[in-house]
Amino acid sequence: MPPINHVLKTPPNDADVFNNMVKLLMILTLMVVVFTIGQACRARQRNQHGRYTPKCGNPYHNRWLGQDHHQFTKLASYVKGSIWKGFINMGIHRSSRLCVECIRLAPLKRDFTQYMDAFDGENNTLPTPSQSSLPDNEAPYKRKRCHQSMTPSVNSSPYSPPRKMQINDIDRQAPSKRSLQFHSSPDESLDHLTGPDMKDVTPLDINTELQEPTENQLRDMILTLQRNNRQTNDELDRAYKELETMFNTQEGRVELVKKVGHIENANVLNHTMELMHKSRSVDALSNINPSDELLNRNKVVTAFIESITAKGSEKGCGIRGSTDRLRKKTQMMRLQACENVYAARNLNYVSDTTFAIQAINYAITKSDLSTDIIGHSTAGASHTTLTNWFKSIHGSCDPAPVGFIEYAFDNEQRLMKTWLSRMGNRQTLDILTNIILHEIDGTCSIQNDSKFKPANWKIPPDDKIQDLKDLTPEMTEILTAHTKSYVNKRILVLVNEKKQGKDETAKKVQKQLDSEGKNICPKCNTDNSKNTRKCKTCKFWIAKEKRALEKKHNPENTRIEPVPKPESSKLVFHTYTGSVVNDDNGESVLINKSEDDKIKSDTVQPAKIQLVEPQFVNPCSSDAVKVVLRAIGKHARIRKYCEENGEREWTIVRCDGLPWGIVKKIIHSDPEFDWVLLRTGLGHEEMNILKSFVEFYWEIVYKIFGISQGFKTDKSLLFLKGCGDHHLAYDNFLKFRDGIWDELLHPFILDETVHSHTYEHFLEWARTQAKDDQTYNFVLNVMTCHMEGLVLFRQGVRENNSLMMRTGRQTCSSLFNGRNHPKYSVLEAWDEFDRACYPPEIAPLLCQHESVSRSGLANRHQGLDFVLEEYNKNIKKWITGHTANSALWERVITNYDNLGKLRNAVFDSLALTEGDSKQRTRPGYTYDLIEFKTVLRKRAFLEVKPGRGLVSITGETLSNQLCEFEKVAKERRYSIISDYLKHGRYPEKRKNTQPLCVTKEDEQRMERDENKTNNQLKDEVLVIISCLPIDLQSELSTKLKKATNKQSLLEALRFGRQVIECVQNEMACAEMNNSEC
């Protein structure tokens, strides 16, 4: 029988419980004896009524069982276990009937029904061991240990209370031969009666040791045992209640958990030591599954955590949401709890899951302290361990795939901060050039054909070159349709406002005009003087209350305003999908079309992007750019660089403005790079178009727009003008665009003579009513074209529509050529010239892949240079420490994909979403728009005023050069191409050109000598030389030849002007003398 402490699941050193249970077992042993005696008494009574009296099967006794022993005749199998070994040695078969002396030696009772058929009724005997009627399964003897009946099942619950002992359970106990002792080991149970010891036992010894009690003695023993039985049952009830109390009270459960914890302590420690020797690679961390990790942890710990964290239908427990998300979050929480238990047992243990979370957290926060906080509070590592792990990872970039591909490169830099001022302690600037590859078509082998190399292209015919001067008919049609759809939409909005009387702009203007120069008390409406702070009538603090009321009721005065949900709009820019027609009453009605009618993009397949090994140079010089181009050529397996496995003859390279000009110059001067097909970075083009638009219209109206939107300080206005944040700048541009168009259309809507409000009628009305207003016509014909061109360019890029993109860019090209933007003016004109030179076999393929979509959505395309900017931003997140060397940069870039998988795996296991693939929404800007329109209408900037010249919104007179702005800009653009065709060289910069002036102040500033170009200064000096006498020309000509910079040219110009002035004075004196004479 197992020890008592194992049955009760208590430690062996619990002396009180052990002693109590020993007493109980002793009492139960006495109950066995009482039951045996009772059975004997009942059998004796039956024997007196004429029952059969079988013969004892013991050869040492071999006597008939009389009336006193008849009660044992049916206990054929009472003796079992190890006792039967001794009886078999004495010739007693297992199924034999035994007398009282034999029964007293038996420790247990056995079911005998299977042997009753073998009983010989005539002779009143059972078969002997030699008889053949013995069942085969009984010989040879198979030992069955008596202790198994007291051993709990392995699968039984350790918390089930013991069953109450009954008087019929005496067959479950096993007293020994001479004592009531229970043995704790199976090998010790009654084995002392087996073997040679049993052979020495004689019938005389048995009869001597075991005397038959008398009837009176049996009655006394029965009464005593009945009393003890009642006491035993009471004690069992008390023990059961103690066990029940242990599980029903928190203190008892605490003790139980402590005991379980003591048992599993060593197992948890050993498991942590095993897990600490696992490898921690990026791939292994990326493939961590919380559910699988829980299966590999200690079963006791995980079972306790899972049972205590099981969720029901309780409210307020965070059980709402998708089933998959809740499951992932719950599994991660359970795994973290288990890992924290492991870390508390072994302080050196670092969980792989926590380590992966720390790596992502460090990449986002860049905080050593945050990493240490997580490491010291969970099963994480320190920031030193994390940085060392970053330094230990290895990887390599994938080779270039087969097919049609293109590359893009851009520089990236990172400045190290210094905290001490020392002579040699300079700030370290890490500069490198990142390269990405875009796989366009893996089945196209057109780049393997040498006849399509850019060096083998032919100059296009004259008709194509003439098309470069202005928009083609197709482009004009696209621009007109785009402008028409947008203007019709704004007309419908304004017409509805007029019908419903909801012109908030007019109300706000009237309110401001009424309150000008007045200080009305908001409480009693008393008109106070302008500088009065307290009302003279009711003594109310006017200024304080006005500020409170403005914050409460005027959301437009705050930077962040609550916007109603219906005013939110999708951040998707596509052509307007409706049309405006006239109903029976002649009013404008909007007819919506299906969303499928909008312009589709040419591809919606997610772009396949991969990183190429970086080059640690700054691509701002020819030598550095050549290093980058050679690296691209080797990676693309250009045959010129890879003689053995080279397969391509040419490939595409994209970059932004400055490197683009350097690469173009290298291509025309060095035949080594004749394999490069150079294309522009569309993202940087969009940024520069917007920046040039803001700069051009800054003094005209854009500065006042910025002030109306809250940009009132000098620094904020400088930030707005510089377009430091492109997304913010474009959002401001959209508000500016809506305000300008609404105020342009406002006089047209108010005109009662107009019966049909459409875009065509508006243009006709403007030609007749506003033909003498130069300001109105300039805004309508120039500003609106630039605005719609910018929107059209962005829409073409976002939808990968080549013709739409080119239309918008060429519409805005006058901003580059009319103002001082030499890099992008050359870039735009030369890119159009290259497109005219495209061979017809590759032109469609190139036009179908202007931009890429990483998400696979049709309206989410972007330039490849912007994709590279995103990669650069994400790469810098993984650069640890204050500075980075080339090895760390290269290590992060070569493992970028694996680190990205790690990031996605962590976010997925945490049930987090980084961004989404849904349509982004942009809050409406109704109040901002009303504020800007109020300024425009109050200043009457876009009201039709016949005879008005070019003026700004502040009333400042503008330069007359704006009247010819578009014409001059187009001539300058075409001259870039014509100069190349004429001279056969790439134009590095425009010469003999100055930006067209916007204001009169600009004209005066440009007339100063310091603001003139070197060529302009040389031309003026040559004019002066031609006006001088021959004897004075030599000295000035010598100064002009020696002039090598702008300062020497200015000195030569001043000297020439002084000579001219002296000559003119001498001539004037000579004329005066002649007149006097």
Side-chain angles (χ1 to χ4, degrees), residues 686-702:
E686 179 185 330
M687 292 174 59
N688 282 272
I689 291 174
L690 179 57
K691 189 181 297 184
S692 61
F693 176 87
V694 174
E695 184 269 336
F696 180 58
Y697 292 102
W698 182 258
E699 295 295 339
I700 300 175
V701 67
Y702 210 90

Side-chain angles (χ1 to χ4, degrees), residues 40-183:
C41 294
R42 288 192 293 271
R44 185 174 181 179
Q45 293 176 0
R46 288 195 301 269
N47 193 22
Q48 292 177 354
H49 291 82
R51 298 293 182 92
Y52 56 86
T53 57
K55 190 176 181 179
C56 179
N58 192 336
Y60 292 96
H61 297 173
N62 198 16
R63 60 194 178 99
W64 289 93
L65 303 178
Q67 294 181 356
D68 296 337
H69 309 287
H70 183 71
Q71 63 270 21
F72 300 105
T73 56
K74 293 185 179 181
L75 302 179
S77 301
Y78 189 81
V79 179
K80 74 173 191 178
S82 58
I83 298 298
W84 267 114
K85 290 184 179 180
F87 285 160
I88 290 173
N89 292 333
M90 292 187 295
I92 302 174
H93 194 267
R94 188 172 183 178
S95 61
S96 299
R97 307 299 177 113
L98 302 176
C99 63
V100 172
E101 285 112 0
C102 300
I103 295 303
R104 290 183 182 279
L105 297 175
L108 295 174
K109 174 184 176 182
R110 177 183 173 92
D111 186 12
F112 64 93
T113 55
Q114 57 182 331
Y115 302 107
M116 293 303 297
D117 296 336
F119 174 72
D120 190 354
E122 297 179 358
N123 298 326
N124 291 330
T125 59
L126 289 171
T128 61
S130 61
Q131 289 177 304
S132 61
S133 61
L134 177 69
D136 296 336
N137 58 355
E138 292 296 328
Y141 167 71
K142 296 181 181 179
R143 178 179 180 183
K144 296 183 180 180
R145 296 179 178 176
C146 61
H147 78 281
Q148 294 179 356
S149 62
M150 297 294 292
T151 305
S153 174
V154 178
N155 298 327
S156 63
S157 174
Y159 309 122
S160 57
R163 190 174 62 89
K164 186 181 296 186
M165 182 64 68
Q166 302 294 336
I167 195 66
N168 295 328
D169 292 338
I170 59 173
D171 60 336
R172 299 174 184 266
Q173 310 301 326
S176 63
K177 176 182 177 182
R178 295 183 177 88
S179 65
L180 299 176
Q181 180 181 359
F182 278 81
H183 301 279

Side-chain angles (χ1 to χ4, degrees), residues 45 171 334 344 496 565 754 916:
Q45 293 176 0
D171 60 336
R334 290 172 176 173
N496 291 334
K565 247 187 177 180
V754 178
D916 58 303

Side-chain angles (χ1 to χ4, degrees), residues 843-855:
L845 186 61
L846 294 175
C847 294
Q848 290 173 2
H849 298 89
E850 296 287 352
S851 52
V852 298
S853 173
R854 298 180 64 192
S855 63

Side-chain angles (χ1 to χ4, degrees), residues 327-500:
R327 181 186 60 80
K328 289 181 180 180
K329 186 176 181 180
T330 303
Q331 290 297 95
M332 176 56 74
M333 292 292 186
R334 290 172 176 173
L335 179 59
Q336 288 298 308
C338 183
E339 300 290 23
N340 289 336
V341 172
Y342 275 43
R345 182 61 186 88
N346 187 351
L347 296 179
N348 293 328
Y349 173 72
V350 177
S351 166
D352 289 346
T353 307
T354 310
F355 188 85
I357 295 174
Q358 273 188 295
I360 303 303
N361 176 75
Y362 189 56
I364 296 173
T365 62
K366 289 293 182 184
S367 173
D368 295 345
L369 181 60
S370 173
T371 305
D372 286 336
I373 290 174
I374 297 176
H376 284 74
S377 59
T378 61
S382 63
H383 79 276
T384 305
T385 304
L386 192 62
T387 53
N388 292 336
W389 176 79
F390 275 117
K391 296 178 182 178
S392 64
I393 58 178
H394 300 283
S396 60
C397 295
D398 297 331
V402 178
F404 192 55
I405 60 176
E406 64 177 344
Y407 290 85
F409 71 89
D410 193 11
N411 68 324
E412 182 57 44
Q413 56 189 15
R414 188 171 183 268
L415 184 64
M416 183 191 72
K417 294 182 178 180
T418 57
W419 308 103
L420 298 176
S421 177
R422 300 293 185 271
M423 291 181 60
N425 193 10
R426 297 183 178 180
Q427 287 185 331
T428 304
L429 183 63
D430 300 320
I431 299 177
L432 76 158
T433 300
N434 275 335
I435 308 171
I436 60 172
L437 180 148
H438 173 218
E439 182 182 354
I440 299 176
D441 189 354
T443 61
C444 180
S445 60
I446 198 170
Q447 290 183 341
N448 300 342
D449 196 342
S450 60
K451 70 178 182 179
F452 299 119
K453 291 175 63 174
N456 298 332
W457 292 354
K458 298 180 180 180
I459 296 178
D462 294 339
D463 55 345
K464 283 191 174 183
I465 295 178
Q466 293 297 325
D467 292 340
L468 300 178
K469 289 184 177 182
D470 204 348
L471 296 176
T472 62
E474 294 178 350
M475 293 180 178
T476 304
E477 183 179 356
I478 290 177
L479 179 61
T480 303
H482 170 79
T483 307
K484 177 181 177 181
S485 62
Y486 171 75
V487 173
N488 284 333
K489 177 182 176 181
R490 300 310 303 175
I491 288 176
L492 184 61
V493 171
L494 296 176
V495 169
N496 291 334
E497 287 183 357
K498 179 184 176 182
K499 288 181 179 180
Q500 300 174 6

